[in-house]
Amino acid sequence: MPKACHISACGLVTPFGQGMEFNLRGILDGNTAVSLVDGAGFGGETLPLGKISHLHPNNRFGHLMAMVCGQISKAIDNSLLQNEQTIFIISSTKGDIFKLPKPAFEIAKRILQSTIKPYHTPIIVSNACISGVASINLAAQYISNGYYKRAVVIGIDALSDFVAFGFQCLHAHSQMFCKPYSADRSGVNLGEAAAAVYLSQNPKEHTAYTALCSPGFTTNDANHISGPCREGLGLSRSISKALAKAGLRPGDIHLISAHGTATQFNDDMESLAFDRLGMGHVPVHSMKGFFGHTLGAAGVLETITSLMALEQQIAFKSLGAENLGTAKPINVCVGNVPMRIENVLKTASGFGGGNSSLILTKL
Amino acid sequence: MKIEYCHITDNEVYLNGTLAYTDSLAGEAFLKSLYKQLGLNYPKFHKMDSLSKAAIIGVELLRLDSQYLSDDQDDSLALLFANSSASTQTDVKFEASYKEGGLPSPALFVYTLPNIAIGELSIRYKWRGHGAFLIQPSFHPENFIGDASICIQDGAKACLCGWVEIGPDDVLDCVFFIVNKDTLYSRSDELLTLYQNYQDERIKGEA
């Protein structure tokens, strides 16, 4: 069995602010980083969005990338970042969509190159909403297979009319603050963020917010391109395989950091998957009420909030969840609950039918 | 002849390096023509964007004679896809639908992610295993081999690798190949030679 890898947070930019402390404070205070943005909708509607203020209006993606790269440079020594045994992986669904039809991911590579100067060209994962978790899994597998000694995974997506209008035309974006797992949930709130994690097997290279990462697996529902398999079979298979690989049983998981986008389909599907595995009683939360759905950043951002939960020994609330109502009952955290947390299961599901999961274990 | 790889260019198909189909039509029209020539019956094909159409045709060509691409597989088959332009051509069309067309089109929006091509293959053939889509500057078969090796170690019997490049005006440049644990490295070398030869011929032709 491959050795589990150490993982720690090394960069975070959200509407709460930059770095771990602002974000942890926001979560513990129960505030949302989502705000009502006038005129954001296709018809001029006000939309609740996790929008970061003060991003350069003509270069939102580039500015966001530069900020997270700045944080990574401060968090990790250059000798490690520029080492030949270090690989960078960028997870993003649309990249710099604002420059269409120019290639959307070139700017991310350029900014990375100019701020950090990594040895290798970064790997770019564009796999819809599972990109973040899938990228962390890829990094952990590269390390456990000896391809590289360490990895930095950056998840990043910026808000755009392109994606907002797209979700609207699918009737998937709510005009209210999103309500994960609630009976009257009405869709996502989109958000933007850049989040970075550092993986290596050398514990000395990590500082705070560190845990063991056991990579999981990606599966496909083989059902519909923009809707999950109704029974959640693909997700439950992804979770089973991750547990087996980590040598754990469902009962060993203390907290599930789920995808919880607040669409009817996703939340029902997740409840069925968790219930099928006998995990209906395990505390589960969605962080989408705090940050919105940050797409390519989500898996990395929510891995970082899972690292926070492990450090603080607090299961964060599913902000926005009320009057719970999913296909199967699940144990949604409705407050910030101090509890013993040793193993966190992080899951993600996305357009294209993908499901991906990983497990974080307290050191 | 086991079909191990196919190369779909703008109006030609090479199977195992030998020209197998050609047409006066190009791009998406060529893909539609291949759909008819292969006798396919899958109405969903016509709703797909060029990226997904190319993926379906590529797989159907390989399935003419391949033991690894049967329907209904959990983790025995992994899908590793890449290109340099993501879903740009469809993105442009979606953007036009709301900027010029007056209304954002859901039929187009659902294709504005490159991994949807993997989704369409998974749906058609009931492939429920690993899938990944990467963005890379150009086609290098060896880029797929490291990830394929990991999938095979994790239990996949084979990896279906796809370079699915759709350029402006839906110009096609797609290579699909299969690797298993025995052909991981040999396939990559063969492909690199064939692909390089094709590129050299194309450049000569344009000169």
Side-chain angles (χ1 to χ4, degrees):
Chain A
M1 194 168 296
K3 204 166 108 177
C5 200
H6 284 74
I7 185 171
S8 56
C10 63
L12 189 54
V13 186
T14 76
F16 281 143
Q18 293 195 58
M20 297 295 275
E21 306 316 317
F22 282 122
N23 281 279
L24 178 58
R25 181 49 38 206
I27 294 168
L28 290 176
D29 287 350
N31 296 328
T32 181
V34 173
S35 56
L36 294 172
V37 181
D38 289 333
F42 176 71
E45 306 92 333
T46 299
L47 288 181
L49 298 169
K51 185 169 182 172
I52 299 173
S53 54
H54 310 310
L55 284 182
H56 192 294
N58 295 332
N59 189 21
R60 306 192 85 252
F61 182 84
H63 190 181
L64 191 52
M65 185 69 188
M67 294 208 303
V68 76
C69 286
Q71 293 205 356
I72 295 167
S73 297
K74 290 200 201 100
I76 314 260
D77 204 77
N78 264 349
S79 63
L80 297 173
L81 295 175
Q82 292 168 349
N83 190 276
E84 192 188 348
Q85 299 285 326
T86 304
I87 187 69
F88 277 71
I89 302 179
I90 300 174
S91 151
S92 185
T93 61
K94 296 312 295 171
D96 195 358
I97 188 63
F98 308 88
K99 307 286 192 311
L100 196 63
K102 294 215 182 89
F105 302 94
E106 288 305 303
I107 186 173
K109 284 158 53 174
R110 268 207 319 275
I111 290 171
L112 185 64
Q113 187 52 39
S114 67
T115 54
I116 290 178
K117 301 181 184 42
Y119 192 95
H120 298 284
T121 311
I123 291 170
I124 302 183
V125 173
S126 187
N127 230 20
C129 311
I130 72 168
S131 295
V133 175
S135 296
I136 294 172
N137 284 341
L138 188 63
Q141 295 213 305
Y142 280 161
I143 291 168
S144 74
N145 281 279
Y147 291 8
Y148 298 98
K149 284 211 168 76
R150 56 192 77 80
V152 178
V153 179
I154 303 171
I156 175 170
D157 261 312
L159 282 169
S160 63
D161 287 347
F162 187 102
V163 178
F165 296 174
F167 271 75
Q168 277 194 292
C169 76
L170 291 179
H171 304 293
H173 202 293
S174 178
Q175 286 191 246
M176 302 193 299
F177 289 98
C178 70
K179 302 181 185 180
Y181 308 117
S182 312
D184 62 343
R185 61 192 186 272
S186 57
V188 313
N189 296 160
L190 288 168
E192 61 190 356
V197 290
Y198 178 69
L199 289 93
S200 94
Q201 283 172 338
N202 185 348
K204 297 205 189 94
E205 290 173 13
H206 301 264
T207 53
Y209 299 103
T210 304
L212 285 177
C213 174
S214 179
F217 295 85
T218 296
T219 59
N220 201 295
D221 285 348
N223 181 62
H224 192 281
I225 56 176
S226 59
C229 154
R230 296 296 193 96
E231 284 82 47
L233 293 162
L235 177 58
S236 42
R237 210 160 65 75
S238 169
I239 296 170
S240 295
K241 288 175 54 134
L243 289 168
K245 182 160 185 171
L248 296 173
R249 290 154 306 147
D252 296 321
I253 299 296
H254 303 105
L255 174 65
I256 304 173
S257 171
H259 197 50
T261 53
T263 66
Q264 282 295 324
F265 287 156
N266 176 81
D267 295 5
D268 274 342
M269 181 275 287
E270 288 187 305
S271 75
L272 287 162
F274 302 147
D275 179 78
R276 177 175 300 110
L277 295 170
M279 298 174 90
H281 64 286
V282 178
V284 57
H285 69 206
S286 159
M287 298 304 287
K288 302 293 194 293
F290 284 107
F291 299 101
H293 188 354
T294 57
L295 306 175
V300 187
L301 166 57
E302 294 159 22
T303 291
I304 289 180
T305 56
S306 300
L307 292 172
M308 288 176 179
L310 279 168
E311 180 111 348
Q312 298 285 313
Q313 293 287 285
I314 297 176
F316 303 132
K317 70 195 290 190
S318 291
L319 190 61
E322 59 184 26
N323 299 324
L324 302 175
T326 48
K328 287 283 186 190
I330 48 174
N331 186 8
V332 177
C333 304
V334 292
N336 287 333
V337 180
M339 52 179 275
R340 172 183 162 256
I341 309 174
E342 196 181 322
N343 297 307
V344 179
L345 169 70
K346 171 77 207 123
T347 72
S349 303
F351 283 0
N355 302 283
S356 208
S357 47
L358 57 82
I359 295 171
L360 301 166
T361 299
K362 186 162 172 60
L363 283 169
Chain B
M1 172 188 78
K2 284 265 170 283
I3 300 179
E4 317 278 14
Y5 44 90
C6 79
H7 185 184
I8 306 176
T9 71
D10 215 42
N11 64 346
E12 294 167 324
V13 170
Y14 295 85
L15 296 177
N16 286 3
T18 307
L19 184 64
Y21 298 85
T22 185
D23 209 299
S24 53
L25 301 165
E28 183 152 8
F30 180 43
L31 292 171
K32 289 182 190 167
S33 167
L34 286 167
Y35 174 91
K36 289 205 195 92
Q37 290 186 61
L38 290 166
L40 299 179
N41 178 20
Y42 191 58
K44 283 186 192 172
F45 179 85
H46 302 293
K47 293 201 188 128
M48 295 179 195
D49 74 334
S50 299
L51 234 170
S52 289
K53 282 191 168 94
I56 295 280
I57 296 298
V59 168
E60 285 293 330
L61 288 164
L62 290 175
R63 269 163 64 102
L64 289 173
D65 193 3
S66 168
Q67 61 188 116
Y68 294 106
L69 301 182
S70 51
D71 286 6
D72 210 358
Q73 300 192 48
D74 273 355
D75 303 307
S76 38
L77 181 67
L79 273 54
L80 301 176
F81 277 48
N83 72 15
S84 77
S85 56
S87 55
T88 298
Q89 301 317 311
T90 306
D91 292 359
V92 167
K93 290 175 187 152
F94 173 69
E95 191 184 50
S97 75
Y98 63 84
K99 278 195 172 169
E100 293 150 38
L103 212 59
S105 160
L108 285 170
F109 183 67
V110 291
Y111 288 98
T112 57
L113 288 164
N115 67 292
I116 298 295
I118 294 175
E120 290 288 16
L121 293 175
S122 301
I123 291 165
R124 167 129 169 88
Y125 305 109
K126 296 282 165 262
W127 290 337
R128 288 176 291 268
H130 180 85
F133 204 105
L134 305 184
I135 309 299
Q136 297 167 348
S138 56
F139 176 55
H140 283 279
E142 68 271 22
N143 286 349
F144 292 83
I145 301 308
D147 293 0
S149 176
I150 291 175
C151 291
I152 288 168
Q153 274 188 60
D154 271 341
K157 295 217 171 58
C159 294
L160 167 62
C161 304
W163 172 261
V164 205
E165 187 68 26
I166 312 286
D169 298 321
D170 287 344
V171 170
L172 305 170
D173 185 19
C174 306
V175 185
F176 300 91
F177 61 102
I178 301 169
V179 288
N180 58 37
K181 68 171 170 38
D182 300 318
T183 59
L184 262 178
Y185 299 99
S186 53
R187 184 62 25 83
S188 168
D189 292 336
E190 284 169 66
L191 271 167
L192 199 53
T193 310
L194 280 166
Y195 190 73
Q196 198 54 55
N197 289 346
Y198 162 73
Q199 295 285 61
D200 293 341
E201 291 299 312
R202 200 166 59 87
I203 289 165
K204 267 193 238 159
E206 283 165 11

